[in-house]
Amino acid sequence: MIPASLSRLRMALSCLIVFHILIIIASNYLVQLPISLFGLHTTWGAFSFPFIFLATDLTVRLLGKAAARRVIARVMLPALVVSYMFSVLFQEGAFRGLDALAQLNSFVLRISVASFLAYVVGQLLDIQVFDRLRKLTQWWVAPSAAMIVGNLIDTFVFFSVAFWRSTNEFMAANWVEIAAVDYATKVVISIMLFVPLYGLLLNAILRLLAGRQTATV
């Protein structure tokens, strides 16, 4: 954890909160759009949600576990409400009109609640795992382990709550396969892209905040 002024800390936390909410909104929308990946079912949400774990792990590294938990606490309810409204308006990729907000959409509400539960459980677990491992000499171990464990819990909590016996026949019949492929996709993307990106961003942020030309992870 590096020292930072109060104003910088507040700015960083505000940016992280907005970032988390935007990724949750995007992921709750994209999870409604199934795709076929090497003949297996998954959704576009698998490609967006790992950004949250990247942001959370950077928060723990730079600002500490307490700051990361504050981000989660402030994100939960706004993300639930806004993601529900956005997903109702653009359900399954089509704009439904503002009148859609006047009626309760149980399918989208279930997805939003599932996202709420999965986000809280997955992120708190991610923080715990990362915090325990972040002092290791090998900088990549903590984000890799946290993303693997956090994504596992997040994915299966989300899909089981959202789609088990869902009114969407395709998702109800295929959610286990979709969840497994979704998780595998997230892990591959995280290891190949987000862990290296984590290292690059961490060094860039350390140089920016500490005013140094070089930084060591």
Side-chain angles (χ1 to χ4, degrees):
M1 181 174 177
I2 68 170
S5 67
L6 184 59
S7 61
R8 286 185 177 183
L9 177 60
R10 288 175 176 172
M11 177 63 71
L13 290 177
S14 298
C15 291
L16 285 165
I17 289 168
V18 172
F19 181 77
H20 276 232
I21 292 174
L22 290 176
I23 294 300
I24 291 172
I25 292 170
S27 298
N28 284 356
Y29 169 72
L30 292 172
V31 79
Q32 301 179 57
L33 307 178
I35 60 171
S36 180
L37 191 65
F38 303 113
L40 299 172
H41 297 302
T42 186
T43 71
W44 284 108
F47 298 91
S48 61
F49 199 74
F51 277 104
I52 286 184
F53 289 93
L54 174 67
T56 298
D57 292 346
L58 283 171
T59 305
V60 177
R61 174 75 72 175
L62 296 168
L63 304 177
K65 185 164 59 174
R69 286 175 173 168
R70 284 199 296 273
V71 171
I72 294 172
R74 296 174 185 178
V75 162
M76 294 186 299
L77 291 180
L80 174 64
V81 174
V82 178
S83 64
Y84 169 79
M85 295 174 63
F86 187 87
S87 296
V88 166
L89 290 173
F90 296 94
Q91 187 174 356
E92 297 177 349
F95 181 63
R96 305 291 177 174
L98 296 177
D99 291 341
L101 294 175
Q103 297 179 344
L104 180 66
N105 189 318
S106 59
F107 175 70
V108 174
L109 178 61
R110 185 171 172 180
I111 290 176
S112 298
V113 171
S115 175
F116 174 88
L117 295 174
Y119 172 76
V120 173
V121 175
Q123 291 300 297
L124 289 178
L125 185 59
D126 175 87
I127 290 171
Q128 194 66 25
V129 172
F130 185 93
D131 188 62
R132 286 180 176 272
L133 299 176
R134 68 190 179 101
K135 294 182 180 179
L136 294 178
T137 304
Q138 297 82 4
W139 66 266
W140 52 268
V141 173
S144 298
M147 287 183 184
I148 289 172
V149 175
N151 270 310
L152 175 64
I153 301 302
D154 175 277
T155 299
F156 284 93
V157 168
F158 173 77
F159 278 95
S160 61
V161 174
F163 299 118
W164 181 66
R165 294 187 177 181
S166 169
T167 55
N168 184 309
E169 294 182 1
F170 175 81
M171 297 300 288
N174 295 283
W175 76 265
V176 175
E177 176 189 342
I178 293 174
V181 177
D182 186 270
Y183 172 64
T185 302
K186 288 176 181 175
V187 169
V188 171
I189 292 173
S190 295
I191 298 301
M192 294 183 64
L193 176 61
F194 288 101
V195 172
L197 182 59
Y198 164 89
L200 292 173
L201 289 175
L202 178 60
N203 275 298
I205 294 170
L206 284 173
R207 287 196 297 269
L208 178 64
L209 294 180
R212 297 194 299 264
Q213 295 300 314
T214 59
T216 303
V217 177

